[in-house]
Amino acid sequence: QVRLVESGGGSVQAGGSLRLSCAASIFHYSSYCLGWFRQAPGKEREGVAAIDSDGTTRYLDTVKGRFTISQDSAKDTLYLQMDSLKPEDSAMYYCAAQYYCRDDYRLQSNEYTWWGQGTLVTVSS
């Protein structure tokens, strides 16, 4: 069982920044993948960014250059640095974990088994 707890959400104006954190109990495994997903009201959940135990990252095209996923295994924490935020980034953000993700599926929600409870991000124009 993997436990995930997100934090860091909040309200910010367009152009601002937020850093999300996810305390994750998976870092002691030799192989894993971690992802950030978001879901806005009335929309499907979409993968925003993912990172593997070897540091390989993937990003949704619309956040490339603005969001950065990182991990600190010493702190058992996954991060999502979000800069140049836009109103369309507003959503509930979730972190997710899996022991192994297939190369082309790291941003697909059904690839992941464990999920956090989510943290809300609101970006005003």
Side-chain angles (χ1 to χ4, degrees):
Q1 184 75 15
V2 175
R3 186 166 181 264
L4 303 166
V5 180
E6 303 97 333
S7 61
S11 297
V12 65
Q13 289 192 330
S17 298
L18 282 174
R19 189 177 78 159
L20 306 183
S21 300
C22 174
S25 62
I26 199 170
F27 288 98
H28 58 286
Y29 288 94
S30 59
S31 176
Y32 58 81
C33 59
L34 291 162
W36 284 102
F37 291 77
R38 66 186 181 189
Q39 188 167 19
K43 295 187 177 181
E44 292 187 357
R45 188 171 297 189
E46 65 177 354
V48 175
I51 189 167
D52 284 355
S53 49
D54 65 1
T56 301
T57 58
R58 292 283 179 97
Y59 293 93
L60 181 68
D61 284 346
T62 56
V63 307
K64 284 180 180 177
R66 300 190 297 121
F67 291 10
T68 303
I69 190 170
S70 62
Q71 56 188 344
D72 186 339
S73 57
K75 296 182 178 180
D76 291 339
T77 303
L78 173 73
Y79 300 101
L80 184 68
Q81 177 66 42
M82 304 187 295
D83 299 317
S84 302
L85 282 162
K86 304 175 180 180
E88 51 264 42
D89 294 319
S90 297
M92 186 72 79
Y93 282 71
Y94 302 89
C95 66
Q98 180 60 290
Y99 291 138
Y100 171 76
C101 292
R102 294 169 290 176
D103 283 349
D104 295 332
Y105 295 84
R106 289 188 178 98
L107 294 182
Q108 294 197 12
S109 59
N110 58 8
E111 190 74 358
Y112 293 82
T113 300
W114 296 284
W115 292 83
Q117 81 290 349
T119 186
L120 183 63
V121 172
T122 303
V123 184
S124 57
S125 57

